[in-house]
Amino acid sequence: MSPSWITVFLDFASDGFEEGVGFWAAVTGYDVSASRGDTDQFATLLPANGDAFLRVQRLDEGTDRIHLDLHTPDPRAAADAAAGLGASVVAEEGLGYVVLRSPGGLTFCFVPHAAATRPGPTAWPGGQSSLIDQVCIDVPSSSYERECEFWRDLTGWEPRASAVSTDFSSLLRPDGQPFRILLQRLGEEAGPTRAHLDWATTDRAAETERHVALGARVVDTRPVWTVLADPNGRAYCLTDRDPETGMLG
Protein backbone atom coordinates (compact mmCIF):
# COMPACT_ATOMS: atom_id res chain seq x y z
CA MET A 1 0.00 0.00 0.00
CA SER A 2 3.03 2.29 0.20
CA PRO A 3 2.19 5.45 -1.78
CA SER A 4 4.25 6.21 -4.87
CA TRP A 5 3.96 9.96 -4.19
CA ILE A 6 2.42 12.33 -1.64
CA THR A 7 0.79 15.65 -2.47
CA VAL A 8 -0.23 18.16 0.20
CA PHE A 9 -3.35 20.24 -0.32
CA LEU A 10 -3.55 23.66 1.31
CA ASP A 11 -7.29 23.98 1.91
CA PHE A 12 -8.51 27.55 2.41
CA ALA A 13 -11.70 29.00 3.81
CA SER A 14 -13.54 30.70 0.97
CA ASP A 15 -12.99 34.28 2.16
CA GLY A 16 -9.21 33.82 2.46
CA PHE A 17 -8.55 31.83 -0.68
CA GLU A 18 -7.12 34.50 -2.98
CA GLU A 19 -4.85 36.04 -0.34
CA GLY A 20 -3.73 32.63 0.88
CA VAL A 21 -2.84 31.32 -2.57
CA GLY A 22 -1.04 34.55 -3.38
CA PHE A 23 1.12 34.27 -0.27
CA TRP A 24 2.06 30.62 -0.79
CA ALA A 25 2.87 31.22 -4.46
CA ALA A 26 5.11 34.13 -3.50
CA VAL A 27 6.85 32.41 -0.60
CA THR A 28 7.59 29.24 -2.59
CA GLY A 29 8.39 31.12 -5.80
CA TYR A 30 6.09 28.72 -7.68
CA ASP A 31 3.66 29.63 -10.45
CA VAL A 32 -0.04 28.91 -10.00
CA SER A 33 -1.75 26.71 -12.59
CA ALA A 34 -5.04 27.54 -14.25
CA SER A 35 -8.00 26.92 -11.96
CA ARG A 36 -10.00 23.73 -12.35
CA GLY A 37 -13.02 22.07 -10.78
CA ASP A 38 -16.75 22.76 -11.03
CA THR A 39 -16.34 26.13 -9.31
CA ASP A 40 -12.65 26.76 -10.10
CA GLN A 41 -11.84 25.62 -6.57
CA PHE A 42 -8.58 23.77 -7.34
CA ALA A 43 -5.15 24.84 -8.55
CA THR A 44 -1.58 23.56 -8.44
CA LEU A 45 1.61 25.29 -7.32
CA LEU A 46 4.12 24.55 -10.08
CA PRO A 47 7.77 24.13 -9.03
CA ALA A 48 10.55 25.19 -11.38
CA ASN A 49 11.79 21.60 -11.51
CA GLY A 50 10.36 18.19 -10.64
CA ASP A 51 6.74 17.15 -10.28
CA ALA A 52 4.04 19.14 -8.49
CA PHE A 53 3.60 18.28 -4.82
CA LEU A 54 1.55 21.23 -3.51
CA ARG A 55 -2.01 22.02 -4.48
CA VAL A 56 -4.65 24.44 -3.21
CA GLN A 57 -8.39 24.19 -2.70
CA ARG A 58 -11.11 26.70 -1.84
CA LEU A 59 -13.46 25.11 0.70
CA ASP A 60 -17.23 25.57 0.55
CA GLU A 61 -17.28 25.61 4.34
CA GLY A 62 -14.89 25.20 7.25
CA THR A 63 -11.57 26.77 8.23
CA ASP A 64 -8.07 26.48 6.78
CA ARG A 65 -6.58 23.01 7.01
CA ILE A 66 -4.21 20.59 5.28
CA HIS A 67 -5.07 17.27 3.72
CA LEU A 68 -2.89 14.67 2.03
CA ASP A 69 -3.24 12.94 -1.32
CA LEU A 70 -1.57 9.52 -1.35
CA HIS A 71 -0.88 8.38 -4.92
CA THR A 72 -1.50 4.73 -5.72
CA PRO A 73 -2.46 2.75 -8.86
CA ASP A 74 -5.67 1.40 -7.26
CA PRO A 75 -7.33 3.93 -4.91
CA ARG A 76 -10.29 1.68 -4.18
CA ALA A 77 -8.14 -1.23 -3.04
CA ALA A 78 -5.94 1.11 -1.01
CA ALA A 79 -9.04 2.58 0.67
CA ASP A 80 -10.25 -0.90 1.62
CA ALA A 81 -6.86 -1.68 3.15
CA ALA A 82 -6.83 1.66 5.01
CA ALA A 83 -10.29 0.95 6.41
CA GLY A 84 -8.90 -2.30 7.78
CA LEU A 85 -6.29 -0.25 9.63
CA GLY A 86 -8.91 1.99 11.21
CA ALA A 87 -9.58 4.72 8.64
CA SER A 88 -13.12 5.74 7.77
CA VAL A 89 -14.27 6.34 4.18
CA VAL A 90 -15.88 9.76 3.80
CA ALA A 91 -16.66 9.87 0.09
CA GLU A 92 -15.93 8.20 -3.21
CA GLU A 93 -16.48 10.89 -5.76
CA GLY A 94 -16.81 8.76 -8.87
CA LEU A 95 -13.73 10.47 -10.31
CA GLY A 96 -11.26 7.77 -9.42
CA TYR A 97 -10.29 8.95 -5.94
CA VAL A 98 -11.47 8.13 -2.42
CA VAL A 99 -11.67 10.52 0.56
CA LEU A 100 -10.94 9.09 4.04
CA ARG A 101 -10.12 10.14 7.58
CA SER A 102 -7.43 8.68 9.81
CA PRO A 103 -8.49 7.24 13.20
CA GLY A 104 -7.73 10.66 14.72
CA GLY A 105 -9.68 12.56 12.08
CA LEU A 106 -7.08 13.82 9.57
CA THR A 107 -8.51 13.93 6.04
CA PHE A 108 -6.57 12.21 3.26
CA CYS A 109 -7.31 10.87 -0.21
CA PHE A 110 -6.11 8.05 -2.39
CA VAL A 111 -5.59 9.26 -5.96
CA PRO A 112 -4.23 7.54 -9.10
CA HIS A 113 -2.16 10.36 -10.62
CA ALA A 114 1.44 9.55 -11.50
CA ALA A 115 4.43 11.60 -10.27
CA ALA A 116 8.02 10.60 -9.61
CA THR A 117 10.55 13.45 -9.57
CA ARG A 118 11.13 15.31 -6.30
CA PRO A 119 11.69 19.07 -6.77
CA GLY A 120 14.92 20.54 -5.52
CA PRO A 121 15.42 23.42 -3.08
CA THR A 122 15.10 27.02 -4.24
CA ALA A 123 18.10 29.34 -3.91
CA TRP A 124 17.17 32.86 -2.75
CA PRO A 125 18.96 36.21 -3.20
CA GLY A 126 19.88 36.26 0.50
CA GLY A 127 22.16 33.26 -0.07
CA GLN A 128 19.99 30.65 1.64
CA SER A 129 18.08 27.80 0.03
CA SER A 130 14.83 26.27 1.22
CA LEU A 131 12.18 23.71 0.40
CA ILE A 132 8.87 22.60 1.87
CA ASP A 133 9.68 18.97 2.54
CA GLN A 134 7.79 17.76 5.62
CA VAL A 135 4.23 17.39 6.78
CA CYS A 136 3.90 17.33 10.55
CA ILE A 137 0.84 15.45 11.81
CA ASP A 138 -0.23 17.06 15.09
CA VAL A 139 -1.89 14.54 17.41
CA PRO A 140 -3.49 14.99 20.87
CA SER A 141 -1.74 12.83 23.46
CA SER A 142 -4.58 10.33 23.92
CA SER A 143 -4.50 9.44 20.20
CA TYR A 144 -0.77 9.64 19.58
CA GLU A 145 0.27 5.98 19.73
CA ARG A 146 -2.71 4.89 17.64
CA GLU A 147 -2.09 7.53 15.00
CA CYS A 148 1.63 6.68 14.82
CA GLU A 149 0.78 3.03 14.24
CA PHE A 150 -1.80 3.92 11.60
CA TRP A 151 0.50 6.09 9.47
CA ARG A 152 3.36 3.59 9.81
CA ASP A 153 1.17 0.74 8.59
CA LEU A 154 -0.59 2.83 5.94
CA THR A 155 2.62 4.01 4.28
CA GLY A 156 4.85 1.05 5.07
CA TRP A 157 7.59 3.54 5.97
CA GLU A 158 10.02 2.68 8.75
CA PRO A 159 9.52 4.61 12.05
CA ARG A 160 12.42 6.62 13.40
CA ALA A 161 12.83 8.09 16.89
CA SER A 162 13.49 11.82 17.11
CA ALA A 163 16.79 13.19 18.42
CA VAL A 164 15.01 16.41 19.39
CA SER A 165 12.16 15.28 21.65
CA THR A 166 10.26 12.16 22.72
CA ASP A 167 7.14 14.03 21.61
CA PHE A 168 8.21 13.57 17.98
CA SER A 169 8.61 10.52 15.80
CA SER A 170 9.13 10.33 12.06
CA LEU A 171 8.68 7.88 9.22
CA LEU A 172 11.77 7.30 7.09
CA ARG A 173 11.04 8.80 3.69
CA PRO A 174 11.85 6.57 0.69
CA ASP A 175 14.15 8.04 -1.95
CA GLY A 176 12.33 10.35 -4.34
CA GLN A 177 9.36 11.13 -2.12
CA PRO A 178 8.68 14.89 -1.79
CA PHE A 179 7.56 14.80 1.86
CA ARG A 180 8.87 13.44 5.11
CA ILE A 181 6.19 12.58 7.68
CA LEU A 182 6.68 13.75 11.25
CA LEU A 183 4.21 12.98 14.04
CA GLN A 184 4.01 15.34 17.00
CA ARG A 185 2.40 14.56 20.36
CA LEU A 186 0.50 17.67 21.43
CA GLY A 187 0.13 18.86 25.02
CA GLU A 188 -3.65 18.66 24.78
CA GLU A 189 -5.29 15.40 25.85
CA ALA A 190 -8.08 15.16 23.28
CA GLY A 191 -9.25 16.72 20.03
CA PRO A 192 -8.86 16.18 16.30
CA THR A 193 -5.65 15.25 14.54
CA ARG A 194 -4.50 17.99 12.17
CA ALA A 195 -1.31 18.88 10.28
CA HIS A 196 1.05 21.69 9.31
CA LEU A 197 3.90 22.14 6.84
CA ASP A 198 7.61 22.39 7.65
CA TRP A 199 10.35 23.95 5.54
CA ALA A 200 13.99 22.93 5.54
CA THR A 201 16.46 25.79 5.08
CA THR A 202 20.18 26.46 5.13
CA ASP A 203 19.75 29.78 6.98
CA ARG A 204 16.71 30.03 9.23
CA ALA A 205 17.25 33.70 10.16
CA ALA A 206 17.50 34.83 6.53
CA GLU A 207 14.54 32.64 5.54
CA THR A 208 12.45 34.03 8.39
CA GLU A 209 13.21 37.56 7.23
CA ARG A 210 12.12 36.67 3.70
CA HIS A 211 8.83 35.16 4.85
CA VAL A 212 8.03 38.12 7.12
CA ALA A 213 8.66 40.54 4.23
CA LEU A 214 6.03 38.63 2.23
CA GLY A 215 3.40 38.92 4.98
CA ALA A 216 4.07 36.13 7.49
CA ARG A 217 4.50 36.79 11.20
CA VAL A 218 6.70 35.06 13.75
CA VAL A 219 4.74 33.15 16.41
CA ASP A 220 7.53 31.39 18.33
CA THR A 221 11.26 30.68 18.04
CA ARG A 222 12.80 27.41 19.27
CA PRO A 223 16.37 26.02 19.16
CA VAL A 224 15.96 24.28 15.77
CA TRP A 225 12.73 25.69 14.35
CA THR A 226 10.68 28.87 14.09
CA VAL A 227 6.87 28.91 14.04
CA LEU A 228 5.28 31.38 11.64
CA ALA A 229 1.75 32.16 10.54
CA ASP A 230 0.72 33.16 7.03
CA PRO A 231 -1.52 36.22 6.46
CA ASN A 232 -4.63 34.10 7.13
CA GLY A 233 -3.20 32.71 10.40
CA ARG A 234 -2.19 29.27 9.10
CA ALA A 235 0.77 28.02 11.18
CA TYR A 236 3.88 26.48 9.63
CA CYS A 237 7.54 26.06 10.61
CA LEU A 238 11.00 26.85 9.30
CA THR A 239 13.56 24.30 10.48
CA ASP A 240 17.34 23.92 10.46
CA ARG A 241 17.13 20.65 8.52
CA ASP A 242 19.13 20.26 5.31
CA PRO A 243 16.86 20.95 2.28
CA GLU A 244 18.54 18.16 0.29
CA THR A 245 18.52 15.37 2.87
CA GLY A 246 15.79 16.51 5.27
CA MET A 247 18.07 15.79 8.21
CA LEU A 248 19.49 18.02 10.93
CA GLY A 249 23.13 18.81 10.36
Side-chain angles (χ1 to χ4, degrees):
M1 197 197 316
S2 182
S4 61
W5 189 258
I6 294 179
T7 294
V8 167
F9 259 90
L10 295 160
D11 298 330
F12 295 93
S14 180
D15 58 358
F17 181 69
E18 298 297 335
E19 182 178 18
V21 173
F23 171 81
W24 283 92
V27 80
T28 57
Y30 296 170
D31 291 332
V32 182
S33 74
S35 299
R36 60 187 183 276
D38 295 341
T39 60
D40 290 333
Q41 72 270 38
F42 300 116
T44 301
L45 298 181
L46 301 169
N49 57 76
D51 290 320
F53 65 121
L54 290 167
R55 291 185 168 87
V56 297
Q57 175 179 205
R58 183 182 62 247
L59 299 172
D60 291 332
E61 58 184 21
T63 57
D64 289 1
R65 67 181 189 188
I66 283 172
H67 83 263
L68 309 183
D69 276 5
L70 308 183
H71 297 234
T72 181
D74 190 341
R76 180 66 261 170
D80 289 342
L85 296 174
S88 55
V89 175
V90 176
E92 187 167 2
E93 303 291 344
L95 298 174
Y97 61 89
V98 186
V99 184
L100 304 95
R101 289 196 185 97
S102 73
L106 182 66
T107 298
F108 67 99
C109 302
F110 283 115
V111 302
H113 319 302
T117 304
R118 178 176 179 250
T122 301
W124 302 104
Q128 81 279 17
S129 63
S130 66
L131 178 68
I132 301 174
D133 75 329
Q134 182 167 270
V135 57
C136 181
I137 300 175
D138 302 314
V139 191
S141 59
S142 62
S143 307
Y144 183 70
E145 297 299 332
R146 178 70 184 92
E147 202 75 358
C148 286
E149 292 175 359
F150 173 78
W151 288 99
R152 177 200 66 198
D153 294 345
L154 184 73
T155 61
W157 296 5
E158 180 184 347
R160 181 188 182 103
S162 170
V164 175
S165 170
T166 57
D167 288 329
F168 292 105
S169 62
S170 62
L171 299 176
L172 193 60
R173 175 179 62 190
D175 290 344
Q177 283 282 358
F179 285 105
R180 290 163 45 96
I181 294 178
L182 179 70
L183 294 111
Q184 175 178 207
R185 186 193 344 255
L186 300 174
E188 62 198 62
E189 175 68 17
T193 296
R194 56 265 198 194
H196 71 267
L197 288 175
D198 290 341
W199 297 64
T201 181
T202 56
D203 187 333
R204 182 158 46 110
E207 187 69 355
T208 299
E209 183 177 351
R210 186 180 72 85
H211 284 235
V212 169
L214 291 169
R217 61 181 175 85
V218 175
V219 176
D220 192 15
T221 302
R222 301 292 184 91
V224 296
W225 73 86
T226 299
V227 183
L228 294 97
D230 74 7
N232 291 343
R234 181 196 300 272
Y236 64 98
C237 295
L238 305 179
T239 80
D240 291 334
R241 293 176 301 102
D242 186 303
E244 293 285 356
T245 67
M247 306 301 291
L248 285 171

